[in-house]
Amino acid sequence: SWVQMKWQHSEQEELEKTIKLSLDLSKKQLVHIEGDMEPSNIKGLNWIKNSCYIDSVLLCLFTQESIFTESLLNKNIEEFHYDLLDCGQNREEDIQNKRFIQTELRSIQNFILGNTEEDIKYCSDLRDLFKKCHSLIQFSTKQPNDSALFLQNILNILLPDETSHVNHTESIYDTNDNLVDFNVYTNCNDSIIYNIPVNIVKDISPKNPKNIKDFLVQQIDNVLERNDQIFRKIENIELIYTPYLIFNVTRTDYDHKNNRIKNIYKPIGLDMMIQLPNGQEFILTGVVIWHSGHYVCIFKFKEYWYFYNDNTKHKIIKYGTFDNLIQSIHKNYNPFKKGTMYFYTPTNVIPKPECN
């Protein structure tokens, strides 16, 4: 859209001067713009000691209807194949503790959607349950944490059998650029979160703009040594199946010269719809945004877009269309430059392929 094109402009000064700042976080006021922008009936959890990374992810997930979310909340834990116990000293205890987590997540979803009279204001009970699981104990504390890491570990214990599938195409050339070997194979990834490393994000520029769907195919160009000979190996990696499409964009890098962590605010264009080669279709339904150590999110519920900040009086604000939201949201929460997780919900069902 024209909004995305403007946000991708290298300097963006002209646009930022014309943005209508409808959310004044310092005064905690809602400024009305075009149409009816009353707060939503959707509820969000309140901030409690760095819980924003949990609260924002759960809102993006639980405002969407999908087979994936339904499985996350209701799949029979006893069906899982057990190699490693994570939430108990024996299989029975492990199953019971995972069920407790599922039950609390269902309660949180019902609270978010307004389907219960139970007033769940905080994620404190969920954090207490995390203490019983080795891979989740780091999220039981009140320390800051990473939103994608949190979601990945939740999926590992509640949906361990869900995988994404990627196609690998390997082309090997000699020093004269002659093709000497060619291989195609499919891998199953344990993670359904599609990670975009910081080196790819850093390469974004006005001459090399990127939309989020451009990351679905990644190319790796390496030198290969075989039998004392040097070859060039070009590997193309393409996502071909996933039960739910979630991008995790790394926007921090270590500045060795100044001995500090620096943020990478390169703009990434957002595709409202993405189709994979297998015919799977996904629509954009949420973006987790990170600014100054705090996570917020934008999300779509039914046909409208909303903004959520768990640490303000007006936690959820309805903006209506996506363009209205983008024109009105504070520049600190620019989803093109500061988005770290992008949620795409499937709109159709494709059979899960086999892995080679």
Side-chain angles (χ1 to χ4, degrees), residues 96-107:
Q96 183 183 50
N97 288 331
K98 289 175 180 176
R99 281 178 174 165
F100 286 152
I101 292 174
Q102 263 189 331
T103 300
E104 181 62 19
L105 288 174
R106 284 198 300 269
S107 297

Side-chain angles (χ1 to χ4, degrees), residues 45-217:
L45 296 173
N46 293 314
W47 181 92
I48 179 170
K49 299 296 183 181
N50 296 306
S51 66
C52 55
Y53 70 93
I54 296 175
D55 302 337
S56 296
V57 165
L58 295 185
L59 201 68
C60 284
L61 272 182
F62 292 162
T63 50
Q64 308 307 316
E65 293 182 2
S66 71
I67 294 175
F68 175 81
T69 307
E70 182 72 16
S71 296
L72 176 67
L73 297 175
N74 297 291
K75 191 165 184 178
N76 187 357
I77 304 294
E78 292 184 0
E79 296 178 359
F80 297 157
H81 176 71
Y82 275 84
D83 290 325
L84 179 65
L85 298 176
D86 189 272
C87 300
Q89 297 183 355
N90 54 61
R91 189 172 188 270
E92 290 71 25
E93 185 181 4
D94 186 81
I95 291 173
Q96 183 183 50
N97 288 331
K98 289 175 180 176
R99 281 178 174 165
F100 286 152
I101 292 174
Q102 263 189 331
T103 300
E104 181 62 19
L105 288 174
R106 284 198 300 269
S107 297
I108 290 174
Q109 185 195 43
N110 285 327
F111 168 75
I112 287 173
L113 298 177
N115 294 334
T116 179
E117 295 182 0
E118 185 179 3
D119 189 14
I120 303 176
K121 293 184 177 180
Y122 307 101
C123 66
S124 302
D125 290 346
L126 186 64
R127 276 177 160 170
D128 287 340
L129 293 172
F130 289 164
K131 296 175 182 178
K132 300 177 182 180
C133 300
H134 296 297
S135 63
L136 297 178
I137 195 167
Q138 62 178 306
F139 310 113
S140 68
T141 72
K142 297 176 181 178
Q143 298 301 313
N145 219 308
D146 180 75
S147 60
L149 184 63
F150 159 69
L151 179 56
Q152 183 58 65
N153 281 273
I154 286 288
L155 297 179
N156 285 346
I157 70 162
L158 296 184
L159 288 178
D161 299 330
E162 290 289 2
T163 58
S164 62
H165 297 219
V166 292
N167 234 18
H168 291 256
T169 304
E170 293 181 352
S171 303
I172 300 176
Y173 300 86
D174 62 19
T175 53
N176 295 318
D177 287 335
N178 297 312
L179 182 65
V180 297
D181 200 1
F182 181 79
N183 297 296
V184 178
Y185 59 95
T186 301
N187 268 359
C188 286
N189 290 341
D190 293 336
S191 172
I192 69 160
I193 298 178
Y194 202 68
N195 293 303
I196 312 302
V198 69
N199 61 300
I200 294 179
V201 180
K202 288 167 65 176
D203 286 340
I204 296 173
S205 69
K207 293 183 178 180
N208 183 38
K210 293 290 183 182
N211 270 35
I212 196 74
K213 69 179 180 181
D214 295 332
F215 299 128
L216 292 173
V217 179

